[in-house]
Amino acid sequence: MPLIIKALQAWKKNAKVPKIEKSAPPLSQEERIKQLEEQVAALTTRIEQLEQH
């Protein structure tokens, strides 16, 4: 919500929307490992599909 308010205030002031990014909270090691394992599995599946063609 604060990002939306900031963007609206900047737009009213300058008539353009500034680039405002919200950073994601850092992931725990377990979450990061799980995410990477899922990515590896997805990429492995894609490679296998490409090799079959």
Side-chain angles (χ1 to χ4, degrees):
M1 192 67 168
L3 292 175
I4 296 171
I5 294 171
K6 262 185 168 177
L8 287 173
Q9 288 172 341
W11 178 75
K12 283 182 180 180
K13 191 175 187 180
N14 301 322
K16 67 178 183 176
V17 178
K19 183 176 182 182
I20 300 175
E21 294 181 15
K22 181 179 180 183
S23 61
L27 298 174
S28 70
Q29 283 186 339
E30 291 81 18
E31 291 171 328
R32 182 163 166 75
I33 290 170
K34 182 181 177 190
Q35 219 178 36
L36 290 171
E37 287 174 340
E38 290 172 356
Q39 186 176 16
V40 168
L43 290 172
T44 302
T45 302
R46 287 181 64 190
I47 289 171
E48 289 170 351
Q49 289 174 348
L50 288 171
E51 287 176 343
Q52 289 176 0
H53 290 293

